[in-house]
Amino acid sequence: ETGVTQTPRHLVMGMTNKKSLKCEQHLGHNAMYWYKQSAKKPLELMFVYSLEERVENNSVPSRFSPECPNSSHLFLHLHTLQPEDSALYLCASSHPGQGAYQFFGPGTRLTVL
Amino acid sequence: GNSVTQMEGPVTLSEEAFLTINCTYTATGYPSLFWYVQYPGEGLQLLLKATKADDKGSNKGFEATYRKETTSFHLEKGSVQVSDSAVYFCALTAGAVVAGKLIFGQGTTLQVKP
């Protein structure tokens, strides 16, 4: 039990669909992250929230829209995705200022048809 | 810029073999170095870390030494087990440890056969 849960674990969607990924942490952390993990590529940091404020957005296309309503929950809203967006999307959390010690969820395997 | 390079996988070993996974880095300042492990179907877990030159991180029989002169942080284990089969990620943070500044390598898959 890592303390970071993600739902759904698997998602298949068409390019015109709208879906959302959910992340929840039970560790008392105040920083949360979205990563994209593609085969044979380094993990790509997408977004960082610290104390519910977005502090980093690494040139992610606008078809990905994050939301952090409170320090325990993080969402990634998806719309009009492309097949190349198929990947494993990982959520992580940490204490603010301790970004090296991140706890990861199991990820959502996304397939875009 | 900051980057991490790992050896290509997969690495396939027999049980009780010696493991080395190479990791080299490029960074400004004085990075902290990490190895994370991802078991099948799970998220990444911190395996070990080293925060300054010549430090040795260790955990679960794995070791890595921070070598500033060769900008390396190779992961080693003397005798691997089937349960060590996973993807291993080398990572760094440069300068102060701030939120979200982990930079990962591409990962190396380890397969251990009985």
Side-chain angles (χ1 to χ4, degrees):
Chain A
E1 175 57 58
T2 64
V4 180
T5 58
Q6 291 186 242
T7 53
R9 294 293 308 274
H10 300 272
L11 178 62
V12 179
M13 59 187 290
M15 289 191 285
T16 58
N17 291 157
K18 289 185 179 181
K19 297 287 184 182
S20 295
L21 310 184
K22 179 182 177 181
C23 175
E24 186 172 357
Q25 59 93 5
H26 310 279
L27 300 169
H29 292 159
N30 285 310
M32 297 187 78
Y33 315 78
W34 279 117
Y35 289 88
K36 178 182 179 182
Q37 184 179 12
S38 304
K40 299 187 178 181
K41 292 177 65 176
L43 260 68
E44 301 173 48
L45 178 64
M46 301 174 71
F47 301 105
V48 181
Y49 277 82
S50 181
L51 299 172
E52 300 161 37
E53 181 179 342
R54 191 188 310 178
V55 297
E56 186 143 345
N57 176 345
N58 280 341
S59 303
V60 179
S62 59
R63 57 186 184 268
F64 295 92
S65 174
E67 179 189 3
C68 187
N70 55 62
S71 59
S72 297
H73 294 85
L74 183 66
F75 295 90
L76 187 63
H77 303 300
L78 316 171
H79 64 98
T80 59
L81 294 191
Q82 304 298 311
E84 60 265 28
D85 297 323
S86 299
L88 182 68
Y89 288 84
L90 292 166
C91 173
S93 69
S94 75
H95 290 297
Q98 296 186 10
Y101 307 112
Q102 295 178 29
F103 290 76
F104 285 79
T108 295
R109 174 68 63 185
L110 174 66
T111 303
V112 181
L113 302 176
Chain B
N2 300 321
S3 66
V4 176
T5 302
Q6 295 180 230
M7 62 188 291
E8 290 262 351
V11 174
T12 303
L13 296 173
S14 298
E15 208 164 21
E16 299 185 1
F18 185 87
L19 168 71
T20 300
I21 298 178
N22 291 337
C23 171
T24 57
Y25 67 89
T26 303
T28 55
Y30 303 94
S32 296
L33 302 174
F34 306 83
W35 277 100
Y36 277 78
V37 58
Q38 184 179 31
Y39 297 104
E42 299 183 15
L44 279 69
Q45 304 173 28
L46 179 61
L47 180 61
L48 54 84
K49 63 179 174 62
T51 56
K52 61 183 187 296
D54 299 324
D55 269 3
K56 178 184 285 187
S58 62
N59 186 25
K60 299 181 180 179
F62 291 88
E63 293 183 339
T65 301
Y66 188 142
R67 301 286 188 199
K68 188 176 180 181
E69 63 276 13
T70 54
T71 61
S72 65
F73 192 55
H74 304 322
L75 182 68
E76 297 181 336
K77 187 175 185 182
S79 176
V80 293
Q81 306 299 312
V82 172
S83 57
D84 294 325
S85 298
V87 183
Y88 293 82
F89 292 88
C90 187
L92 66 82
T93 61
V97 176
V98 296
K101 291 301 183 184
L102 266 176
I103 297 169
F104 288 91
Q106 76 272 32
T108 302
T109 300
L110 171 65
Q111 299 172 341
V112 181
K113 297 186 175 180

